[in-house]
């Protein structure tokens, strides 16, 4: 082929050098942190939504998880953790990496 289309090269894969201490599972999680962050955010939203169903009064006694409002703050923790994971993929500042490690 001739012309500018033939001159363009295809997308080059980005290979990051991983330490020898990092196993294949850990390197997968390091590469796919944006996707895992999105999954954690969705888990947090489901946690809040299904926890809201638990909060509907069903009788005199309420489950202990409802009395301490676990469905709400548990879902918020998932959302914060997923947001930190997704943000670290784009901008890996030291404070984001520390926050990601603490939350996970």
């Amino acid at each position: 082929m001739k012309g500018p289309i033939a001159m363009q090269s295809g997308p080059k894969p980005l290979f990051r050098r991983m330490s020898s201490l990092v196993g294949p599972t850990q390197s997968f999680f390091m590469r796919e942190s944006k996707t895992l962050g999105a999954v954690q955010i969705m888990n947090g939203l489901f946690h809040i939504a299904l926890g809201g169903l638990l909060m509907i009064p069903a009788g005199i006694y309420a489950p202990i998880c409802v009395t301490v409002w676990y469905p709400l703050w548990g879902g918020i923790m998932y959302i914060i953790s997923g947001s930190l994971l997704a943000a670290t993929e784009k901008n890996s500042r030291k404070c984001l990496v520390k926050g990601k490690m603490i939350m996970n």
Side-chain angles (χ1 to χ4, degrees):
M1 285 180 27
K2 294 182 180 179
I5 295 175
M7 301 295 283
Q8 295 176 354
S9 61
K12 295 180 183 177
L14 297 174
F15 295 109
R16 294 182 188 168
R17 250 179 103 75
M18 299 293 169
S19 169
S20 61
L21 300 174
V22 175
T25 306
Q26 288 175 328
S27 66
F28 171 76
F29 287 131
M30 290 167 69
R31 284 183 281 130
E32 299 294 331
S33 63
K34 194 174 208 175
T35 306
L36 293 171
V39 169
Q40 277 189 341
I41 290 171
M42 290 190 56
N43 279 340
L45 293 174
F46 283 129
H47 196 90
I48 291 172
L50 294 176
L53 293 176
L54 267 179
M55 300 241 180
I56 297 172
I60 300 171
Y61 302 105
I64 195 159
C65 67
V66 172
T67 58
V68 296
W69 288 76
Y70 173 71
L72 179 65
W73 58 263
I76 290 172
M77 294 299 247
Y78 269 115
I79 291 170
I80 291 171
S81 176
S83 299
L84 284 173
L85 264 173
T88 305
E89 177 77 21
K90 194 172 193 178
N91 184 4
S92 59
R93 291 185 298 187
K94 191 174 182 179
C95 61
L96 282 177
V97 173
K98 278 186 181 179
K100 174 184 86 166
M101 295 302 288
I102 290 169
M103 291 300 289
N104 282 316

